[in-house]
Amino acid sequence: MISPRAPRADRRPVVRSHHGRSFTDDYEWLRDKSSPDVVAHLEAENEWTAHETSHLAPLADAIFDEIKSRTLETDLSVPVRKGDHWYFTRTVEGSSYGVFCRAPVASPDDWVPPAVDPAQTLPGEEVLLDANVEAEGHDFFSLGTFDVSPDGRSLLWGVDTEGDERYTLRIVDLASRAVSDVDVIPNTAAGAMFSPDGAFVFYCTVDDAWRPDTVWRHAVGSSSGADVTVFTEPDDRFWVGVGRTRSRKYIVVEVGSKITSEVHLLDAADPMGEFAVVWPRVEGVEYDVEHVVLAGEDRLLITHNDGAENFEVVDVAAADPRGLRDVVVPASTDTRIDGVDAFAGHVVVSYRRDALTRVGILPLSGGIAAGGVLRVGEIVGYGALTELEFDEPLFDVGVSSNPEWTQPTLRLGFTSFVTPSTVLSVDVATRETTVLKRMPVLGGYRSEDYAQARDWATAADGTRVPISLVWKPGAVDESAPAPTLLYGYGSYEASMDPSFSIARLSLLDRGILFAIAHVRGGGELGRHWYDDGKTLTKRNTFTDFVAVGEHLVASGRSRPDGLVAEGRSAGGLLVGAAVNLAPDLFAGVLAGVPFVDALTSILDPELPLTVIEWDEWGDPLHDPAVYDYMSSYSPYENVRSDVGYPPILAVTSLNDTRVLYVEPAKWVAKLREVGAPALLKIEMQAGHGGVSGRYDAWRERAFEYAWVIDTATRGARDDLESSAPVAPTLDA
């Protein structure tokens, strides 16, 4: 049998010219996934990766078994009250997807979710949708919409079976279980919903570039051919979405680019009426809207950055939203306000400070003592904001599912590196906090066996970059460098907050140190942190990541031959650029659905979502300075022939509409051209989120972690082999 060898993609030069600059792209032909040559090449890449990683199978199987054995496979979520029912999701051992259920509440005052044995059913429990049944016969399955009509009689759900994030909507009568053969709406975006009266469905569709651009109104019981366009956004930089205020008083159309927002409201009592703009869009101004009622008057709470870099919250009259603004939560230089959730009697403010998420409660009838860090203005009807406190050095907390406008409790989600995902209930009146459920971790897990800490690196320009760390002291020799997985993202103001992972325990238990580099371009330290890592400051994202890696080495926590970098999507761009800058710093790079051919993609307005991205990266098509800047860091264009690259594993999906498979395919081809040990693993039936179904997802993560462990510990193994005594030979 002939052993397989690394595929070599044909070099078919295509010259790309802009602004008097030319770039010869030898592998652009790989973009045509309908080509038999391309499919054959991708299949050969998969065969080569399987061959090169075959020795990892026992370790990957062991990690998969560990994930499975630590997971309570038959379980259910904490029930959430909506109307007259408790809604929850069951998982069943051996089944890949959730079973969506509900049971009636005991009484109108029943606000305490029932404690349920996962093996038992609740009185009156009914199955709304068994995703396992719906997924039968499909290699991929994803729910993009799940909404029950306000009267509880109908279910609206949307399914994608390709991975391209286009969903087919259907409506089910929950009494008869009949699926309407009329209400079938193909090719929608995620997030459709019933109108508050249940007579209509509002949904979005996408244009040819996969941009949600149009909101539609569908009359329940009619053909989708009669659906009415209620809003279309012609500007390619903006996407649209449809939702409702928590009060259900208004239907909301949100329009947004990366830097500019516009909100349109419609009184839900008149779903066939006209939407009205709250604030007309102003370039660079972002805002969102919530509804409150004070002294019987409809008011709007608007979280915005108009003259407030880290955002502030103002109160305006719903009847005159462009009139007088009263500041409810003022802007702060050290606190980034993320948004508010309004209830009948209080408002919940979400924000972040010191690279950690925070939650505060603001009563709508003033008079309680002020607490926390944020203060509110002297406005009739608003009290003082009280911050909820938590006693861990690192954590992530946020508002969870709270669908009822008048509920007396607040549901939160809490987690940390060492605390499994926890559902908390806060009594709004007393601030008493109750743990409703903590994710079970089987096998004797104890949080005290693990440690988490915050560290800081110093970037080349003197900026301090936060690092979040977790490890198992009993598995790591803290007097010596440890094999390390360094994770980063650094785009879109997204924050990589410390959270628990069952799968990660398999790394920690084997002595791997896990670290998150909170680099610029993310949102961990406020809006300036984002602004300093986008467009013409984007290189800060990459140099911050390198600085964090160098700090981990200099501080003795890690060493270059044990430091593996991981990034996914825009994080793939991060690690791809970082390994070009400092190839000797890393033992390996794991790049998931990586955005590594950034300039080619952002130059082409016909590609999915490209024009929307110009606010994030700049517009290289029309601006030579942006072209040159992106050309200086785009990983594919900057593969070096003068250095030795560490092992690189790129994982992607054929049907990804956000980062096309061709980017990592081209990147790996070019890396291999310069002798880099690069591998490509491509899922032929999946999208941007990878494989669907929890067991397939566990197996995929187990494979990736097996590769990380093998790569991060190779240096230590080499040390042991080189220091072992040499057995004497007969000649000696």
Side-chain angles (χ1 to χ4, degrees):
M1 178 178 177
I2 301 175
S3 298
R5 59 187 179 87
R8 291 285 183 174
D10 293 341
R11 299 176 67 173
R12 305 177 186 178
V14 174
V15 177
R16 183 191 73 212
S17 296
H18 293 84
H19 312 299
R21 289 79 156 167
S22 295
F23 172 71
T24 300
D25 191 339
D26 290 326
Y27 303 112
E28 177 63 15
W29 66 273
L30 291 172
R31 186 175 302 276
D32 182 9
K33 69 178 182 180
S34 66
S35 163
D37 287 352
V38 172
V39 173
H41 176 77
L42 298 178
E43 290 174 343
E45 289 283 13
N46 275 342
E47 290 175 5
W48 176 244
T49 297
H51 176 268
E52 287 296 282
T53 59
S54 60
H55 66 289
L56 299 178
L59 179 56
D61 289 344
I63 294 173
F64 173 82
D65 290 342
E66 289 165 12
I67 297 171
K68 190 170 182 291
S69 68
R70 286 176 168 136
T71 302
L72 184 61
E73 296 180 70
T74 298
D75 200 4
L76 78 164
S77 63
V78 178
V80 173
R81 179 171 171 177
K82 180 181 177 184
D84 295 330
H85 290 86
W86 292 105
Y87 290 82
F88 52 97
T89 304
R90 290 186 177 275
T91 55
V92 179
E93 184 174 358
S95 296
S96 292
Y97 301 96
V99 181
F100 299 87
C101 308
R102 72 178 179 184
V105 299
S107 71
D109 296 326
D110 180 13
W111 293 104
V112 179
V116 188
D117 183 332
Q120 298 178 347
T121 58
L122 288 171
E125 180 176 333
E126 59 178 320
V127 173
L128 303 179
L129 182 73
D130 186 340
N132 299 285
V133 174
E134 303 301 330
E136 288 180 2
H138 299 290
D139 292 326
F140 181 90
F141 178 86
S142 176
L143 274 178
T145 288
F146 186 92
D147 191 40
V148 177
S149 60
D151 62 9
R153 295 179 179 178
S154 301
L155 169 67
L156 171 70
W157 56 290
V159 168
D160 166 22
T161 56
E162 299 294 332
D164 60 3
E165 300 183 53
R166 293 190 179 184
Y167 301 85
T168 298
L169 293 176
R170 292 181 173 85
I171 296 177
V172 181
D173 183 290
L174 294 175
S176 66
R177 299 293 165 174
V179 179
S180 170
D181 57 2
V182 177
D183 300 284
V184 179
I185 311 173
N187 295 320
T188 73
M193 66 171 200
F194 282 110
S195 60
D197 63 3
F200 298 95
V201 168
F202 286 86
Y203 66 93
C204 297
T205 55
V206 301
D207 62 13
D208 291 340
W210 252 265
R211 175 182 66 99
D213 71 328
T214 302
V215 180
W216 300 80
R217 186 182 65 241
H218 168 82
V220 174
S222 69
S223 167
S224 63
D227 291 354
V228 176
T229 299
V230 298
F231 184 87
T232 295
E233 175 53 55
D235 191 329
D236 289 342
R237 297 177 303 149
F238 288 79
W239 50 262
V240 302
V242 64
R244 54 203 166 211
T245 58
R246 294 202 66 268
S247 62
R248 295 181 177 264
K249 166 73 174 176
Y250 297 102
I251 298 171
V252 183
V253 168
E254 295 179 302
V255 186
S257 71
K258 301 294 183 183
I259 61 172
T260 305
S261 305
E262 186 175 80
V263 175
H264 301 240
L265 295 183
L266 171 66
D267 192 319
D270 182 21
M272 297 181 69
E274 296 294 324
F275 283 83
V277 176
V278 178
W279 289 353
R281 70 187 72 174
V282 174
E283 189 76 7
V285 174
E286 301 168 67
Y287 72 96
D288 57 49
V289 175
E290 261 288 19
H291 168 240
V292 294
V293 179
L294 294 177
E297 180 187 359
D298 290 319
R299 311 286 299 179
L300 301 179
L301 282 176
I302 302 180
T303 305
H304 73 92
N305 69 338
D306 185 10
E309 181 185 49
N310 275 334
F311 290 74
E312 68 179 5
V313 182
V314 298
D315 169 280
V316 300
D320 184 21
R322 302 174 207 175
L324 180 65
R325 303 181 187 181
D326 284 324
V327 176
V328 178
V329 185
S332 168
T333 58
D334 63 357
T335 301
R336 165 65 157 95
I337 300 172
D338 290 329
V340 299
D341 291 270
F343 296 77
H346 62 278
V347 173
V348 180
V349 186
S350 299
Y351 49 101
R352 58 176 56 247
R353 187 182 66 253
D354 299 331
L356 291 175
T357 50
R358 317 278 178 167
V359 172
I361 298 177
L362 178 78
L364 289 183
S365 55
I368 70 167
V373 174
L374 298 179
R375 303 293 295 234
V376 300
E378 299 295 328
I379 304 172
V380 175
Y382 292 94
L385 187 142
T386 303
E387 181 173 302
L388 303 179
E389 297 182 354
F390 304 94
D391 60 1
E392 296 194 40
L394 300 177
F395 59 84
D396 181 23
V397 64
V399 177
S400 185
S401 184
N402 298 276
E404 285 298 297
W405 173 245
T406 60
Q407 64 188 65
T409 58
L410 171 67
R411 185 77 63 87
L412 298 176
F414 178 90
T415 186
S416 75
F417 275 147
V418 301
T419 300
S421 298
T422 304
V423 179
L424 303 175
S425 178
V426 180
D427 185 299
V428 176
T430 66
R431 303 296 193 265
E432 180 182 356
T433 300
T434 303
V435 175
L436 297 179
K437 181 172 183 176
R438 181 158 286 149
M439 181 180 69
V441 182
L442 307 182
Y445 171 78
R446 302 191 319 154
S447 61
E448 57 266 33
D449 291 338
Y450 300 81
Q452 59 179 349
R454 168 62 49 79
D455 198 359
W456 297 82
T458 301
D461 63 0
T463 300
R464 298 181 74 233
V465 182
I467 313 166
S468 295
L469 301 158
V470 61
W471 69 97
K472 187 175 185 179
V476 171
D477 179 359
E478 297 187 56
S479 66
T484 303
L485 178 59
L486 176 60
Y487 183 86
Y489 188 76
S491 292
Y492 305 111
E493 203 177 1
S495 299
M496 301 296 105
D497 297 308
S499 61
F500 188 82
S501 165
I502 283 180
R504 190 189 299 132
L505 296 178
S506 293
L507 292 181
L508 304 181
D509 288 352
R510 288 173 171 82
I512 305 292
L513 170 69
F514 180 78
I516 298 176
H518 301 289
V519 296
R520 282 175 282 184
E524 287 88 343
L525 290 175
R527 175 49 64 94
H528 79 92
W529 200 248
Y530 171 47
D531 288 340
D532 286 349
K534 61 181 290 193
T535 56
L536 295 179
T537 60
K538 188 63 196 173
R539 288 181 67 88
N540 287 335
T541 305
F542 319 133
T543 54
D544 282 0
F545 191 80
V546 170
V548 169
E550 291 173 341
H551 173 80
L552 292 175
V553 171
S555 63
R557 290 189 181 273
S558 188
R559 66 187 210 181
D561 62 0
L563 180 61
V564 174
E566 180 185 9
R568 310 188 76 83
S569 193
L573 166 66
L574 165 61
V575 296
V579 77
N580 282 339
L581 291 174
D584 294 336
L585 180 61
F586 304 104
V589 172
L590 172 59
V593 289
F595 184 45
V596 284
D597 190 17
L599 183 52
T600 300
S601 294
I602 301 302
L603 276 168
D604 189 349
E606 300 301 318
L607 290 179
L609 306 178
T610 286
V611 177
I612 289 176
E613 296 289 320
W614 284 349
D615 286 332
E616 178 75 18
W617 312 98
D619 175 7
L621 184 61
H622 303 101
D623 189 333
V626 173
Y627 181 96
D628 291 341
Y629 192 75
M630 292 192 70
S631 179
S632 75
Y633 68 70
S634 184
Y636 175 61
E637 295 194 27
N638 289 280
V639 169
R640 298 168 59 180
S641 60
D642 62 330
V643 299
Y645 281 92
I648 293 172
L649 172 62
V651 179
T652 190
S653 300
L654 187 65
N655 295 328
D656 190 343
T657 59
R658 295 175 182 263
V659 179
L660 302 185
Y661 76 90
V662 68
E663 297 201 25
K666 290 167 60 175
W667 184 49
V668 167
K670 193 161 187 178
L671 284 165
R672 197 169 288 141
E673 183 184 310
V674 300
L679 299 174
L680 176 67
K681 185 175 187 293
I682 180 167
E683 294 295 336
M684 304 302 281
Q685 295 290 333
H688 192 65
V691 294
S692 65
R694 58 176 177 166
Y695 293 103
D696 286 344
W698 294 348
R699 196 164 290 284
E700 180 68 18
R701 200 54 172 154
F703 166 76
E704 292 174 354
Y705 275 176
W707 184 87
V708 167
I709 292 167
D710 181 69
T711 303
T713 59
R714 187 171 298 145
R717 296 197 307 272
D718 291 345
D719 285 350
L720 287 174
E721 291 174 6
S722 64
S723 63
V726 179
T729 65
L730 290 177
D731 291 340

